[in-house]
Amino acid sequence: MIHSLFLINSSGDIFLEKHWKSVVSRSVCDYFFEAQERATEAENVPPVIPTPHHYLLNVYRHKIFFVAVIQTEVPPLFVIEFLHRVVDTFQDYFGVCSEVVIKDNVVVVYEVLEEMLDNGFPLATESNILKELIKPPTILRTVVNTITGSTNVGDQLPTGQLSVVPWRRTGVKYTNNEAYFDVIEEIDAIIDKSGSTITAEIQGVIDACVKLTGMPDLTLSFMNPRLLDDVSFHPCVRFKRWESERILSFIPPDGNFRLLSYHVSAQNLVAIPVYVKHNISFRDSSSLGRFEITVGPKQTMGKTVEGVMVTSQMPKGVLNMSLTPSQGMHTFDPVTKLLSWDVGKINPQKLPSLKGTMSLQAGTSKPDENPTINLQFKIQQLAISGLKVNRLDMYGEKYKPFKGIKYMTKAGKFQVRT
Amino acid sequence: MEQGSLLAKISEASCNIRSVLEMAGSLQVTLKPEPSVEERELANAAADQYEQNLTVNEDLKQMLESNKDSAKLDAMKRIVGMIAKGKNASELFPAVVKNVASKNIEIKKLVYVYLMRYAEEQQDLALLSISTFQRALKDPNQLIRASALRVLSSIRVPIIVPIMMLAIKEASADLSPYVRKNAAHAIQKLYSLDPEQKEMLIEVIEKLLKDKSTLVAGSVVMAFEEVCPDRIDLIHKNYRKLCNLLVDVEEWGQVVIIHMLTRYARTQFVSPWKEDGVLEEDNEKDFYESDEEQKEKDQKVKKPYAMDPDHRLLIRNTKPLLQSRNAAVVMAVAQLYWHLAPKSEAGIVSKSLVRLLRSNREVQYIVLQNIATMSIQRKGMFEPYLKSFYVRSTDPTMIKTSKLEILTNLANEANISTLLREFQTYVKSQDKQFAAATIQAIGRCATNISEVTDTCLNGLVCLLSNRDEIVVAESVVVIKKLLQTQPAHHGEIIKHMAKLLDTITVPVARASILWLIGEYCERVPKIAPDVLRKMAKSFTNEDDLVKLQILNLGAKLYLTNSKQTKLLTQYILNLGKYDQSYDIRDRTRFIRQLIVPNEKSGALSKYAKKIFLAQKPAPLLESPFKDRDRFQLGTLSHTLNTKAIGYLELSNWPEVAPDPSVRNVEVIELGKEWSVALGKAKKEKPTEKFYSDSEEEESASTTDTESESTSESEKEKNGKEEGSSMENSESSSEELSDSESESKEGSAKKKFKTTEESDSDDTEKKTKMISKKRESSGSSDSESSSTEESSSDSESESDSESDAESRKHKNAIASKRKQMAVPEKKASSKQDVSLLDLDDFNPVSTPVAVPTPAILSPSLVADLEGLSLSRSSVIDVSSPIFVPMKTHELLHRMSGKGLAAHYHFSRQPCIYGNQMVSVQVTLTNTTDQKLENIHVGERKLPAGMKMHVFNPIEFLEPEESITVSMGIDFCDSTQTASFQLCTKEDHFNVNIQPPVGELLLPVTMSEKDFKTEQGMLTGMNETSTTITVAPQNSTRLVLLEKVVKAANLGVVPSGQDNIHRFSAKTVHSGSLMLVTVELKEGSTAQLIINTEKTVIGSILLRELKPVLSQG
């Protein structure tokens, strides 16, 4: 399976290599660099690159390429999914996953990678098992270790590794028992020129932070579970129970985890909470263009729309823009031609707008297409699909936990074509 | 985070820590002032790196040889840092390898890391470490055993192959599944090191394939795939087990197993596609064009297709995995459905695949590619998700083009207008590569859907006036292809394009235009010669591609219009003759010979016109994914569209299925397990497994401690011998063989058998004690029941049904709970009476069956009558359940030294597991002192039975009582669950034996369903008898009530007044239990029970008899 792993930063340095079978020379990465050059942009690098003797599978995250070298047929998603899991684990261990952090913690990184794969086949990928085997570095622990001479390496097989609930440690103890659930929905939409919706769908997740003592068995039920069209679960959720009763029943992992991600069926009409009025025009004759956009609330169920951010990739011909916003800050990068406008809260009485002119390169003809506008926003205390959690019950433990549910709606890939 | 909050809370502490940190920092600085400086230099100056390296290494060597662990650890950390950066640290090998036996586990681990990296290069020195690993292989700690095996097998030194082989063999019989998992990994390593060991390794694989642990399954299948993927015969016996374990295997193992099972299924089952082929042919015309299908059609043996139950099992058991969070698992299931499931069922995967499109860019890329291949063959699968493939301007180009590909594949008459509108936006995209791809897509839509050809053509012509050259060029190429398909009346477009020749510079486009003019020169007689004139002028500056087309055009015009163009053509031919490219010179010579008549030219020139202006078939605009389906979906080969190294071909379906009986497993050994696993609903599996595993763990740990004592003495020995490795290896090899024989003795199989034997003994004894009559028949009954279980369970269709039922059941229970509370006390007070009754009835009822809860004394019945009357309406309407209040004595207060315990069956689905019967135990303290720490002690359960005990009760006040609930999985038998009830001082042995009526869960179904189910359960599965019914029982209400009291059955609404039907399923295996009471004239009645569980059925029959016949 996975032969070797190379970590490559954006400037093309291989700053970490790890081999699980016999050593593969790092010159194999030359093929990767070639492909990278051809792709010009980092995100256009093909995830699978064949070379004469190996195949390079890579993922690009946090400005680092994680390049896995494999030699024989293997499901590509297997490797890609695993690489993403590696990144997630690093993030979990160190808070951030960056070149600097990895270099600083190279020994821990190495130890973790060693445990994650054996002979190229995943061995332990559950973060709580890994954390028992190799404890994440913290200031306190480093200090204690230097003084007492103890180590970060566990010498017992984590109990989770053998149990069928590998995601949960035994003997968890908290003084405050609490379980928080965040229902976060993202609206993916494409709005056309005239303001009508071309496609819109809702993707939601329920992220949980569960800090409960012992082995609690939780059930979470919804007021309207029929809304959920397609779901994927954390392995802890009992699938049959969901199938038959539409109830989430699970023994939760300890700490933060994603319980569920779901998709609200496309048949349901999606309420679009904001609209964008735009007037962007280039004229063939003059080297000036007009630019004007206004953002306003539409179907917000009485909640305020916050954190609004407008970005737009302007055509190459635009040299500069002189704009005045009615609120918020705006920037235009003349090199990347990226316009961004941080609007903030939308006040329905006084709609935020951004007006001004664009100066175009002289001599070139007007661009074919007006730029698309990407929108970001947040609405607190609202799940736009109308999903509501009915109740959360706990079995198996005696104490009364503190429970909390939070709803939020965000823009996912929200585009307005102009 | 946690640390952060800690620090925040105790600010004082944080100050302390900081100061300590500083101290520690300064300590380190004083310890080694140079290295940091040197390292910096290292990074900066590459020139004198070598010298620097030497000094650094010297320094490291010293640190490694020091006797302080902290210095060693520091050194090892720096060495690992060097390895990570790809620097050579091999010369430190001798110094590092000495530390392999370090007591400090972190040093040890880092040394392991080093060894795995460099052992191959320094084989001789690496041998020094082997004895340490051999010793560690005997360590009582499973983690140490496992990691020793891991490192030992990772040292790629051919000399130690025999040692590795031995270690693997031993580890494959280890008690810890974790070690066995590592053994499976080691198999692959050894195989790649020395393929000669294949035969031996296959033996180990065979052994490990039989392993029941979910931990091992994925790894051993991986080893199987790597070492002997062709030995499909090894899978037969494990097929069903793997299918059933699949849900519980870790996600990476799932992927591997699913891929392997897909290949397996293609060799073992017949195609499920034959049958529905006829049905689907209409809407999927082009799919059935492949040879294979054709053959099938020709043969078409008119024989109804019935899917092999094993085939069905695989398809059913993989379905829940579509909900996995792991994209690789979802993809694996999707490809399994694609390659194995009947066409009508494959559709369910599309939703999950579309969901993956929300994932990372790399995942999207692979998934889109697979969807593209799928959407060519079966449009219908993804049509509902058309809009999910709409392109966003922020997508990377490769994602955009894949989405476009899919959109094109999905285009049909119904959606083409929306699609074209969408395409219009894409054409204007700033990403020109993508815009060009869109134009091609439009072209493909135009050829595939004749209704829109004209619209598309017009649109493309409009694009010809686009400012962007790439767009125009692409349009030209596509228009050319389109015109070829229907050249009837497009003179205008050709003229328009001829004008473009002045402006457009892209060679492909120019060549296309020239070709068009040449091909249809008779339609544009005026323009064509003029174009040739212009081209003749610019000939020398054109691209090769264009030159060839100029020659072509010249030749065609020469043949059709030689008067005007003869000279021009000859001029061009002359130019071509001296061209730099030999290709063009070649072509020139060829054309001249063909068209210009001279003495040398043969008969061919007569046909020149026919050759040049023949009717040419229109090009087919095809998807680039057209031929990808030759590869299994989801594989690397599919992504690359070339065969990757190690790709395993998916075989065609066999014409005739190989013998399915090879998958049958010996009944005695695994049958029971197997039936258990099958009947189990998947949801509860985790919990089930959880218990069984912990048992396994326990047993592992106990044996661990056993072996500890011996190994400790060994350790001491080894400690003395540390210096001389030779001796050591000798002794350790002896140990190896020793322990091997030991482990053989205690192998799991034997244990299993013996426990089973003793268990059945146990139960026999108990039945004797209880009834003292008909011992022999009783025991034979229980025996036959176990075999029955194993054989009857090959299909458990009721999975989904029973789910729906249990939902209803739940609802019912909510209402029941309230009712329960009241009668509980009443019943307990009556208990003495009912116990007496039991004795009376026992001779009548069977010895195996225990007191039926419904055989109540008349007075109690009268008491309950009031309750049940109000409830009877409930029975008729929706809820079929009646909760008997009868309690059974678990522990009498006299024998319990004041602690009394009663139990009754609450008839609720058990919260601890779906296969468990929930039992309510009421504990009463009849003493005048507090009873403390009441809990369940040692359990003695027959094989297969499981029990979920109540949480220990801290104390029970005098005269107080408490009710707790337990769950017991009786495995659908009336065997006794014995356990100890303990208080702080004492423990009492108690038994619970369930009446057969409590092993059921009521089920609601319609009369029709009932009859169809009944129709399937005839013959062997049917037991019936004729009884006399007491007159007071002949009314419907009373009869229903009595039966429902006696057994936990659901009432089936009946159309006839004299026939009463009841249905339930067994708690453990979920098999249906159908009861029919048909009242006849003269107060007789026919009682019929249909069930797969014939033993339970017959017991139930015997129990129901007295219920109905007595007042």
Side-chain angles (χ1 to χ4, degrees), chain B residues 152 349 506 831 937 1010:
Chain B
L152 180 67
V349 302
V506 179
Q831 165 216 343
F1010 185 94

Side-chain angles (χ1 to χ4, degrees), chain B residues 41 431 438 441 503 585 648 651 674 752 807 813 864 904 1027:
Chain B
E41 277 175 14
D431 184 344
T438 309
T503 49
R585 294 200 298 275
L648 298 166
S651 72
W674 159 230
F752 183 68
R807 198 188 313 159
I813 276 161
L864 287 170
H904 79 275
I1027 48 167

Side-chain angles (χ1 to χ4, degrees), chain A residues 1 16-17 21-23 26 43-48 50 53 55 58-60 70-78 80-82 84-85 106-107 110-111 114-115 117-119 121-123 125-126 133 138-140 143 147 151-157 161-165 186 188-190 198-199 201 203 229-235 238-241 243-245 313-315 365-366 368-369 372 374 398 413 415 417, chain B residues 3 17 20-21 77 80-81 83-86 104-106 109-110 113 116-117 120 141-143 150 156 177-178 181-182 185 188-189 215 219 222 251-252 255-256 259 320 323-328 331 351 355 358 360-367 387-388 390-394 396-398 422 425-426 428-430 432 467 634-637 639-640 644-647 682-683 686-687 689-690 693 697 799 803 807 810:
Chain A
M1 289 242 155
L16 188 113
E17 62 178 72
K21 300 185 182 183
S22 46
V23 178
R26 53 164 72 194
E43 61 171 13
N44 276 334
V45 178
V48 183
H53 301 290
Y55 304 95
N58 67 80
V59 303
Y60 180 65
I70 57 169
Q71 242 176 350
T72 54
E73 170 66 51
V74 59
L77 275 184
F78 185 100
I80 287 169
E81 184 79 25
F82 176 79
H84 281 299
R85 204 62 70 81
V106 71
V107 176
Y110 234 69
E111 284 169 341
E114 189 69 49
E115 289 302 331
L117 278 184
D118 179 21
N119 195 36
F121 189 80
L123 192 62
T125 48
E126 278 296 335
L133 281 170
T138 56
I139 300 169
L140 191 69
V143 174
I147 294 166
T151 65
N152 279 334
V153 180
D155 60 350
Q156 283 295 327
L157 188 69
Q161 180 72 293
L162 290 175
S163 86
V164 185
V165 277
E186 294 192 356
D188 287 356
I190 303 178
I198 293 180
T199 157
E201 47 190 22
Q203 307 279 353
D229 186 35
D230 181 41
V231 282
S232 77
F233 300 118
H234 189 275
R238 297 183 181 113
F239 181 68
K240 275 277 159 166
R241 194 87 191 273
E243 283 273 274
S244 57
E245 298 166 64
Q313 178 71 50
M314 303 308 286
S365 46
K366 71 163 194 165
D368 304 318
E369 190 198 28
T372 45
N374 293 304
K398 291 256 181 254
K413 296 173 184 165
Q415 287 198 342
R417 292 176 180 165
Chain B
Q3 301 302 346
I17 285 163
V20 172
L21 236 186
K77 281 185 174 172
V80 168
I83 295 174
K85 279 185 208 127
N104 182 317
I105 193 141
E106 191 164 14
K109 280 219 162 169
L110 295 177
V113 169
M116 289 195 217
R117 173 71 178 75
E120 209 172 6
N141 183 335
Q142 49 183 341
L143 182 64
R150 200 131 74 86
R156 287 166 292 274
Y178 183 72
K181 184 188 179 73
N182 277 285
H185 290 171
Q188 304 163 52
K189 298 184 210 169
L215 206 58
S219 301
M222 189 64 225
E251 43 197 354
W252 311 108
V255 179
V256 177
H259 274 271
Q323 251 70 38
S324 172
R325 62 168 171 175
N326 187 321
M331 189 66 233
K351 198 188 272 180
R355 183 186 69 230
R358 279 282 293 177
N360 298 294
R361 132 198 114 94
E362 296 86 5
V363 175
Q364 277 186 49
Y365 173 72
I366 306 285
V367 173
K387 288 190 171 177
S388 305
Y390 278 10
V391 173
R392 286 161 211 279
S393 61
T394 40
T397 310
M398 58 181 178
E422 186 68 16
T425 329
Y426 301 164
K428 286 189 230 149
S429 165
Q430 293 173 31
K432 291 305 163 201
R467 232 173 280 102
T635 59
L636 185 64
S637 306
T639 302
L640 296 171
I645 306 160
Y647 174 72
K682 260 150 243 149
K683 163 187 82 177
T687 50
K689 270 289 169 187
F690 181 57
D693 254 34
E697 227 179 310
D799 255 15
D803 278 340
R807 198 188 313 159
K810 283 266 159 69

